[in-house]
Amino acid sequence: MAGKKKKGRTAKTKDDPGKRSMFLDKVASNAITLQARKVFKRIEKGSKPELKLPVRSLSNVRYDVSRGYFEIGRTRKVRTLSVTTAKTFAQTFKMMALSKELIETRDFATKRDAYYQSKNWGDAAFMDQFESDTVMDDIEAMFSIDGVSREQLKFVPDEHGGAVAGELVVLDPDPESGEVVRIDCTKFGTGAYSIPSTVEHLSFETKADFILCIETGGMFQRLQSHKFWKTWNCILISMAGVPTRATRRFVRKLAEQADIPVYAFVDCDPYGMSNIYRTLKVGSGNAAHINRFFCVPKARFLGVTPMDINDYDLPTHPLKEVDIKRARDALKNDPFFIHHKKWRKAIELMLSMGVRAEQQALAKWGLNYVIEKYLPDKLSKPGSFLP
Amino acid sequence: MAGKKKKGRTAKTKDDPGKRSMFLDKVASNAITLQARKVFKRIEKGSKPELKLPVRSLSNVRYDVSRGYFEIGRTRKVRTLSVTTAKTFAQTFKMMALSKELIETRDFATKRDAYYQSKNWGDAAFMDQFESDTVMDDIEAMFSIDGVSREQLKFVPDEHGGAVAGELVVLDPDPESGEVVRIDCTKFGTGAYSIPSTVEHLSFETKADFILCIETGGMFQRLQSHKFWKTWNCILISMAGVPTRATRRFVRKLAEQADIPVYAFVDCDPYGMSNIYRTLKVGSGNAAHINRFFCVPKARFLGVTPMDINDYDLPTHPLKEVDIKRARDALKNDPFFIHHKKWRKAIELMLSMGVRAEQQALAKWGLNYVIEKYLPDKLSKPGSFLP
Amino acid sequence: MAVKRRASAADLANRQREISISEFFTKNRHLLGFDSPSKALLTAVKEAVDNSLDACEEAGILPEIKVELDALAEDRYMVTVEDNGPGIIRKQVPKIFGKLLYGSKFHRLKQSRGQQGIGISAAGMYAQLTTGKPVLIITRTGASREPHQLEVAIDTKRNAPSVLKDKEIEWDKKHGTRVTMELEAVYRKGQHSVDEYMVQTAMANPHARIEYRTPKGDEVTYERSTEELPVEAREIKPHPYGVELGILARMLRDSKSRTVLAALKSDFSRVSDNVGRSILKEAGIPEKRSPRHVASREVESLFRAIPKVKIMAPPTNCLSPIGEDAILSGMKKLVPADWYVARTRPPSVYRGNPFQVEVGLAYGGALESDGLARVIRYANRVPLLYQAGGCGITKAVLTTSWRGYGLQQARGALPSGPLVIFVHIASVWVPFTSESKEAIAHYPELLKDVRLALQECGRKLSAHIRRGKREADEHRKRTYIAKYLPYVGDALQEILSLSPKKRDQVVEQLTNMLERSRKM
Amino acid sequence: MAVKRRASAADLANRQREISISEFFTKNRHLLGFDSPSKALLTAVKEAVDNSLDACEEAGILPEIKVELDALAEDRYMVTVEDNGPGIIRKQVPKIFGKLLYGSKFHRLKQSRGQQGIGISAAGMYAQLTTGKPVLIITRTGASREPHQLEVAIDTKRNAPSVLKDKEIEWDKKHGTRVTMELEAVYRKGQHSVDEYMVQTAMANPHARIEYRTPKGDEVTYERSTEELPVEAREIKPHPYGVELGILARMLRDSKSRTVLAALKSDFSRVSDNVGRSILKEAGIPEKRSPRHVASREVESLFRAIPKVKIMAPPTNCLSPIGEDAILSGMKKLVPADWYVARTRPPSVYRGNPFQVEVGLAYGGALESDGLARVIRYANRVPLLYQAGGCGITKAVLTTSWRGYGLQQARGALPSGPLVIFVHIASVWVPFTSESKEAIAHYPELLKDVRLALQECGRKLSAHIRRGKREADEHRKRTYIAKYLPYVGDALQEILSLSPKKRDQVVEQLTNMLERSRKM
């Protein structure tokens, strides 16, 4: 079976997980210091300090075919200190100082935490979360040029991580003691491993053949309860809708380190294809400055495909107005779909059929039809997966 | 310290987890058979079959002070088979048959699964999810009279479970082999244990002193990363907003089995008090027929309280229109808050201050102020927690 | 006080002049419905057709009307309206067509299309103003009389006709009138068009035969669907409840009766000897007093006494409703629905003026089921095409709750569905909101009666819709039994592991049970 | 053909009668603004005050007007309006107050408040109709003349006055007129009230002193804010571009000139010898032809020739705008804003009628900043209180894009903010949508000029709003430097572990840098 070609491969960890984590911290901390030093030098020379930020607009985004993700373009905006930018400047530097402190104390902060921290900054305190988020996005964009991610800056999302089960051991070095915890994801019974908010410090041991990313919690629970990962020697990841940053980063790191394919199993509708799968694989257009960290270029689309609707005679719902709009938009404006002819054909087929289908629609043929028939069928020819 | 009075207590498990799970299945299966038999007998006698359902409206709900939860009243509606009810009758029985089959095959189905299953029922197939959900709610209500929960009927929610970390071992018997998996929640590094969709079969071993249920993922991650559970010998549970059915049921079973207190740590706003805490503790008015399974009557409100806003000089936001409406509504119409004078005073205080505060507002005084000062303060006098 | 003398009172007095009504309406012609060229075309046709129909009916002739429009230029049309009415005697022709506020209908209390004696002469005045052309009239009052042809212009300064030509001619019609006007106008299609006016006129006048030729040369003939003339409306005297203080004073002053009692009895309707005495007693005025010697303070007492005395409602033979049958036949001919209802309300009174409301509904069939209902408004059988928004009839339709009758209706909107609503108000005096007679004022009494009629028809519509639903229900239920009961059997078999035979028995028993209870 | 003879042409002819304009408007009094008792009160006051102001101005007298309302019963009021005008000579009094369509203003092309000679006599007619009481007039034309007191009623059948009393009396006024009417009416507060009318009248007539006593006995005096009378409007002749074919024909027929060229020159404005000759040449009519011998087809040629010849715009001294200063002083007195602007447009022409638009804006101050802007409409200095929705002025305000001037404006709505918009249209002939003179018809030329004036004022408003924002900005920026730069220093210190001294240097350097660049 093609999908199992790498069976028996041993675990790969590039280096000691604890050391790697410290190395990442060092990179981030240096980037901050460097930025501050540049500004300090300018001031000493009597020049106005300035910051260079990539322009975060759709016009400065392109789909990099070779790298396989949406990438931010070269356009930069320069923010010079002036009366009107004084407040933002102060806040940006206070936020950078906070980040450095977090790195040094091996701590982290959510967006919300950072906002409240600023309440101790006197006049420079953020008026509202929106102001705070904007500055954080700026800092993230600024350091993305240096290859430093927001998580490395110790700003973590306040989002639920996805759930994981299957043939995987996660190595998690304790932030304080440095002792590495081994988490065996085959040992959660019907439960699962919940991905933490930041995954930069994690590394992995696995002999799995592939990673299966699943849209709904219900489908994940079914495959998990029936130990699908055991039969198929794989790792199951529940995305629960559009995957969070932590989940995407987790999948990306895991897939890269273990060098195994990633298959997405989502609903057959424009939301599943465009919002979930496309985001997982190449990132999103309006967050192009971070895609390099979060995309999973090796992801492939297992199903449900529009062809499956016919092949498996699935119950469908008519496409809604918003679905049609989304699909037409993908065909017309999305460089990813425009680039892949197979995707264009699939979306056009869906539009001409005028219907969508959910992954759970397979239950029409029996609750475990998906385990006994559909997935085995599919996994026997991964070459046919959509790109 | 009062909160630690049970330190050193050994694990409690009522009986063998595998056997217990089989026993629960048996109860559910018998209830279905009994119901079917009743109907069958009536038909043989030439009487029209009928089903008795508790009326699911707010007028048939009361707050049971002694039991500590919203309870459904005694009013029943009788649904007699007639031309107009024929379709619903057929669907109800088909759904009961499906439930029995699920129990026998040790399987489960989400709402969505059940809906798609019906697509094989010919004319009796559900037209849409709404129709299917209504029948499922009816069945749940019907069997709730017999003390059988929806999860026992093997209809599981398609919701994310909460995350768990700390001094707890979850015992999860394998549905097929019956072999019991032991999941040690101290062993997940920065990650956590993700609660499965159904928890009926789980049991626990713990020496923890209390369970701390936390509103936001960010705060959970902070306490988890800093091993708060280790310092304080407790179990951390992330609710991520209003807790799901599985999370509530998990906390309830755990608290009951381990006989330890449950503390809720949520935002100081009407949503945190009423929608999150009240739902966790006594259930919700419009799902009164299931509260007996899902409420956590021993839960206490640790904070953030309106008094905390003054005591800790927290940054606040003004109450929004909807907050004020919700708070007034709680004071006027919610039997739980009406019953507890302390709660009435707290809500009135909040209304008079006109502000709300988030749990992350504590970050104003330092990111780990919550760990180093606030929670220790609070946990030193659990008697002062709101009921 | 700073006084800069510019003009003295005497200077001002020298400038005072009388203004003729024609001059007034020349400047204010938008008041008469001549505000735009497309509306002018409709108004001219309407005034001529109204007059023709009125004349035929008064003379007891089943109307045959011919309407012809000819385009002379893009903005210049010739309008010709010909009828088979009684004709107009030669002497009257100039004043009827060449003087505003001249007519037979203003002083009468009796339902008619025209009311104010302005319409046709205003059309002529507009024609003359915009093209300089006089009105051309051919008329003949009987087979034994010679047909006359006249050209009449209006001297607006004097509001008086001037006859430009007058001759006897050959005409093959035995009696009737033919009016031709040349005017600045534009021909349009749509809601406010002459075409639409012709259809609606035909619908409300099923006793009339109308031939209509559009400027494009298309000919449409509306054949009559009844050979019966409408009941003739009789003239009545004013009713005391409707009189105003000033009018009452004038009536007494002008009365030819010798005593005030006699004056009341002869000048008002429904004042019997008894009623008259009661009023005068209440007012403290001696019966024998001459009406011309009632002092102004006494007139007021008299005025205040009237409402205190119970007086019979005015006679209603001044009205001539279309009638339910005629409304139905008119709608059936011209509205492609599959269900119709009509209701003629009993006459009512507002301000002493009798009026009567008629409503028809047409539902279903080929009517568009997506949009809003269409409302067709009439006053004294004349369609109202403009100012639907400001009209009391529209208000009454909007404030009727159509949801109760099984229709959709958004807040403050017309009901939606395949529905045409026909509303006719007949009255001796229709209170229009302007002289162009496009919308009816919001008198509560009128609105109430329209609503009542709509409700009566609405209830019938509701029954019709429900009947349709019931029939659909019945069918559905019958199939339900066959459709769903087998699944009850299936499920019980699955749960209780019944034998196939047992299962079939269960289904059979259930089927019998339900069929039986349905027959009871 | 089924003929049931009911009435012959001769019968019909016998019924034909002339209708007096008074009778017509008695039945249609809602057309004159007497549709409800509360509106009737306002209309009566308005007609009397308009006449008083017109008379004073024509006579060059600074107006002093006294308005008194007395409640006689809940629905009966006495209205008294007294002025210091030139008075009315005895002989004219009956016709002015007892005949509809009689006046000095209808035939003139000149801006005035009254236009049609209907207003005050209609008010009297309404009073008489509802209370039976005649109009009481006291008038005196000069210190050397005796004051007269008359009671005038209207014979509606003949549209003629009847004088009930007429005597010389004592009166301490040297000249002026006092009119008293008793009518069925209701006194209300609010948008459509007499109170509101008085304020708005005072605002547009800052040269008038007005005393007003409400029925509750409250006395309000609006002192004048200017001692200058408005420029006197001159009467002009009609302009050829505005004439209509029918009018042209009549003017030639009625002309007293000997030649058609002379007729054109004397009866129209702006027709010089040259212009007249060009027109006639274009029309192919000999100059010397008698105007009364121009055939009807030739009149049409003449009519078509006019637009082909270039003719100067009509003289505009027939207009008397309020003027920017007077608008400003009126608004400042009565609108509690803190910024004002006014603009008087140059005169324009529609249909040959000169007109002029004036706009004022008042912004900020104690005006309510939450709601929509308030629009105050005037035609020839008379406030328009009713039918705002149907008025061309409202339309022009709605279709102006206020967002461009820094205001909020929802689609199709008025702008919102602390704004009062004052719009005045002055014209020799204001095209009202009805005789009750409540709303102005939507003539594109008028709307365009209103919009232009609004835009000119809007741009000034926009600059004012921006100036306010700029000043606030400036202040904010200055404080910014002191406020935020220390935190830049703090943060750099934290990241780079600078010494406190180094940190302070950085902050100082930054401060200097920014202060310097701000001064450049």
Side-chain angles (χ1 to χ4, degrees), chain A residues 107-108 112 172 190 222 358, chain B residues 108 112 172 190 222 358:
Chain A
D107 210 333
F108 61 90
R112 208 82 186 127
D172 187 342
T190 51
R222 173 158 304 284
E358 296 173 347
Chain B
F108 62 89
R112 208 80 186 129
D172 187 342
T190 51
R222 172 156 307 281
E358 297 173 348

Side-chain angles (χ1 to χ4, degrees), chain A residues 176-383:
Chain A
E176 277 143 34
S177 66
E179 185 197 334
V180 175
V181 181
R182 294 173 52 87
I183 302 150
D184 184 345
C185 297
T186 63
K187 298 273 161 64
F188 283 92
T190 51
Y193 168 68
S194 175
I195 300 172
S197 304
T198 171
V199 303
E200 293 310 318
H201 59 296
L202 302 181
S203 52
F204 311 100
E205 283 177 15
T206 181
K207 295 179 184 173
D209 290 319
F210 61 91
I211 302 164
L212 188 63
C213 297
I214 300 152
E215 175 171 342
T216 62
M219 181 58 77
F220 173 82
Q221 189 70 59
R222 173 158 304 284
L223 300 188
Q224 153 70 331
S225 292
H226 288 276
K227 300 228 176 353
F228 183 83
W229 47 265
K230 196 168 197 175
T231 328
W232 287 84
N233 190 40
C234 64
I235 302 166
L236 303 176
I237 296 186
S238 164
M239 299 187 287
V242 177
T244 61
R245 291 166 59 111
T247 306
R248 286 156 61 198
R249 184 73 183 136
F250 185 91
V251 175
R252 161 73 175 278
K253 283 183 57 119
L254 173 56
E256 227 167 45
Q257 215 192 92
D259 194 19
I260 50 175
V262 175
Y263 303 141
F265 179 27
V266 304
D267 289 346
C268 177
D269 58 25
Y271 189 80
M273 294 171 182
S274 171
N275 298 48
I276 299 179
Y277 174 69
R278 204 265 278 110
T279 303
L280 174 72
K281 180 169 172 125
V282 301
S284 67
N286 55 12
H289 56 293
I290 60 165
N291 287 336
R292 50 187 300 190
F293 305 114
F294 291 97
C295 62
V296 183
K298 47 169 51 182
R300 294 290 175 278
F301 190 88
L302 175 148
V304 177
T305 67
M307 293 69 101
D308 289 345
I309 293 178
N310 289 331
D311 294 352
Y312 296 92
D313 189 13
L314 299 181
T316 59
H317 298 274
L319 287 174
K320 278 177 283 187
E321 204 51 57
V322 58
D323 291 325
I324 293 167
K325 205 177 150 290
R326 195 172 266 145
R328 293 228 172 99
D329 198 49
L331 287 176
K332 209 178 135 202
N333 302 318
D334 192 314
F336 171 72
F337 292 111
I338 290 170
H339 180 258
H340 290 291
K341 194 176 170 191
K342 280 190 180 172
W343 264 118
R344 290 207 309 280
K345 281 180 123 175
I347 294 174
E348 277 156 11
L349 175 61
M350 178 174 61
L351 279 172
S352 72
M353 290 161 70
V355 294
R356 60 193 175 87
E358 296 173 347
Q359 50 181 194
Q360 283 171 295
L362 292 157
K364 175 189 172 189
W365 302 115
L367 291 171
N368 292 319
Y369 182 81
V370 61
I371 294 173
E372 287 150 13
K373 171 77 173 134
Y374 178 80
L375 287 174
D377 267 15
K378 284 275 170 170
L379 290 166
S380 70
K381 34 186 184 186

Side-chain angles (χ1 to χ4, degrees), chain C residues 4 6 15 17 19 21 23 29-30 57-60 101 103 107 129 156 230 244-246 250 300 432, chain D residues 4 6 15 17 19 21 23 29-30 57-60 76 101 103 107 129 131 156 244 246 250 432:
Chain C
K4 294 190 289 177
R6 287 171 175 171
R15 295 180 195 151
R17 270 181 57 191
I19 300 144
I21 184 72
E23 291 178 308
R29 62 184 186 237
H30 55 281
E57 285 167 25
E58 289 212 35
L101 288 179
H107 293 95
L129 183 72
T156 46
E244 278 171 298
L245 180 54
R250 197 185 72 201
E300 202 171 331
F432 288 112
Chain D
K4 294 191 287 173
R6 288 170 174 172
R15 296 179 195 153
R17 269 180 58 194
I19 300 146
I21 185 69
E23 291 180 306
R29 60 179 187 245
H30 55 281
E57 286 167 26
E58 289 211 35
R76 200 178 248 213
L101 289 179
H107 295 93
L129 184 72
T131 69
T156 46
E244 279 170 296
R250 198 187 69 202
F432 288 111

Side-chain angles (χ1 to χ4, degrees), chain A residues 88-99:
Chain A
T88 315
F89 250 79
Q91 290 172 332
T92 305
F93 282 101
K94 287 297 286 179
M95 193 82 114
M96 280 161 57
L98 171 62
S99 169

